[in-house]
Amino acid sequence: MPTTIKLDMIQTLALAAVVLFLGYAVRKRVGVLDRFNIPAPVVGGFLFAAIALGLRQSGLLAFEFDTTLQAPFMVAFFTTIGLGASLGLLKVGGPQVLLFWGLASLMAALQSGVGVAIANAIGVDPLIGLISGSVTMTGGHGTGAAFGKLFEEEYAVGGAVTLAMAAATFGLISGGLLGGPVATLLVSRKRLAIGTGGPAPVVAPDGLDEEIDTEPSGEAPTAFTMLKAIAIILVAMALGTVVSGWLRQYLTLPGYIGAMVVAAVFRNLGDLTKWVRFDQRVIDDLGTIALSLFLAMALMTLKLWELLDLALPMLLILVAQVTMMGLFAYFVTFRVMGRDYDAAVMAAGHSGFGLGATPNAVANMRSVVERFGAAPRAFLVVPIVGAFFIDFTNALIITGYLNLVKP
C-alpha cells in the first residue's frame, strides 16, 4: 500500500495555488498550449494529476485532499457571471446580439440533445452524453467541473469530473482548429466582400484565460472598490442558497444557479436605479481568481484511471459534437447572421466558444481578420454573448435536460 499524504483545507488550497502557477509556467514554455488557449489551471492540474497517478500506480505515494473550499469558489465564479449579465449590453450590441445569443442557445440545446441520444443508442448513462454535450462544449471547463461534481454527488456517476475535464480539453483544441477553416471556406466559396483591413479591435477575453501577470487598462481598483464587490458577491451567494433551496423542491440543479440568478437581478436593478455602481473590471478579476483556484483544485484531484472504461464512448460523442458544430456554423450561423463577411467571421467565433471558450472565439476571429480584413460587427457581438450571456442560458438548458433524463 502506498503511503498516504493527507492535506487539510488550507494545505489543499495552497497546493492548488502552486499548481495554478505551475500551469502558467508550463504554458508559457509550450507554444501549442498557448496557441490553443488551454487554461493554466487545466495545464497545471492535469500535470499534477498525472504525477499523482504515476506515484499511486507505482505504490509509492497517494494523496488525500480536503476540497471544502472548492464549492464556494465555484459558486463565487458563477455569481460574477450573473453580475456581468447586464441587459444594457444588449442595447449596445443591438438586435444582432439577441440573434446570436439565440443561435448559441439553440446550439447548446442541440449539443445536449445529441449527446443524450448517442449515449442512449450505445448503451451508456445519458449523463455521460450530457457531460459530452453543452456541459463541456459550450460550457467549457468551469461548467464541466460544476456539473461533474453534481453528477458524482447526486447521481453516483463515477469519474464525472475527470470525464468533464477531458471532454472540455478536447473541445478547446477542436474549436481552435475548426473556426479558421470554416470562415476561410465561407469567404472563398461565397465570394464575400471582405473587410477594409487593419488590426482587429481589442476585446475583453473570458476571465479564466486572461493572464494574471498582465495589467488591464482602466483605473486601478482601490481596497474599498474590491471590498464592495466582494460584499455584493457574498450577499448574492447567501441569498442564492435560499433561492436554490426553494428551486430544488421542483428541479435538480447545481448549487450556483440561485446565486447567479440573484446576482443578475442585483446587476440589472443597480443599472436601472443607480443605487450602486458595479465595477466590471473588479468583478471580472475576482471571478478570474475564483475560477482559477476552483479549477486548479478540481483538476489536481482528478482520478485519471476513471477515464479508461468510458474513453471510447465519450470520444464517439465528442467527434459527433465537433462535426455538428462545424456544420451549424457553416450552414446556420453564417446564414442567420447576414450571409456577409462579418457573418463568416462570426461563424469562426461560434466554432471557438461553441466548443471551448470565448478566448478561442477571439483567437479564431483574429486569425481570419489578419488574413482577410477587419470585421468590427463580429468583434462586438461574439464576445458579448460568449463572455456574458451564454453561460446563463446554458446552465438553464442543462438543468432542463437533467430533469428530463433523471426525473
Side-chain angles (χ1 to χ4, degrees), residues 80-120:
T80 65
I81 292 292
L83 289 173
S86 170
L87 295 178
L89 289 172
L90 296 178
K91 295 179 182 178
V92 173
Q96 286 266 305
V97 169
L98 277 173
L99 197 58
F100 191 71
W101 186 15
L103 282 176
S105 300
L106 173 61
M107 186 65 214
L110 289 173
Q111 286 173 335
S112 289
V114 167
V116 170
I118 296 176
N120 283 327

Side-chain angles (χ1 to χ4, degrees), residues 151-191:
F151 292 172
E152 286 185 349
E153 294 176 351
E154 299 289 333
Y155 298 105
V157 180
V161 174
T162 305
L163 292 168
M165 295 302 96
T169 302
F170 182 94
L172 263 180
I173 295 171
S174 300
L177 293 172
L178 184 65
V182 166
T184 302
L185 200 59
L186 283 168
V187 170
S188 59
R189 288 197 173 182
K190 307 293 183 182
R191 299 181 180 178

Side-chain angles (χ1 to χ4, degrees), residues 212-238:
I212 290 174
D213 58 358
T214 57
E215 182 68 18
S217 60
E219 184 181 352
T222 62
F224 178 79
T225 306
M226 294 188 71
L227 275 173
K228 182 174 73 171
I230 291 170
I232 292 170
I233 291 168
L234 290 173
V235 170
M237 289 170 66

Side-chain angles (χ1 to χ4, degrees), residues 268-290:
N268 288 284
L269 280 177
D271 289 350
L272 184 66
T273 63
K274 310 298 182 186
W275 67 281
V276 64
R277 278 191 62 208
F278 292 91
D279 189 322
Q280 191 60 49
R281 174 188 165 184
V282 173
I283 290 168
D284 289 344
D285 285 347
L286 292 172
T288 298
I289 293 167

Side-chain angles (χ1 to χ4, degrees), residues 244-301:
S244 290
W246 177 74
L247 289 174
R248 279 197 180 117
Q249 298 177 63
Y250 312 99
L251 298 168
T252 300
L253 74 170
Y256 67 76
I257 290 288
M260 191 166 69
V261 170
V262 170
V265 172
F266 278 8
R267 174 59 189 261
N268 288 284
L269 280 177
D271 289 350
L272 184 66
T273 63
K274 310 298 182 186
W275 67 281
V276 64
R277 278 191 62 208
F278 292 91
D279 189 322
Q280 191 60 49
R281 174 188 165 184
V282 173
I283 290 168
D284 289 344
D285 285 347
L286 292 172
T288 298
I289 293 167
L291 181 58
S292 296
L293 289 171
F294 161 64
L295 277 181
M297 209 178 301
L299 272 98
M300 76 183 194
T301 57

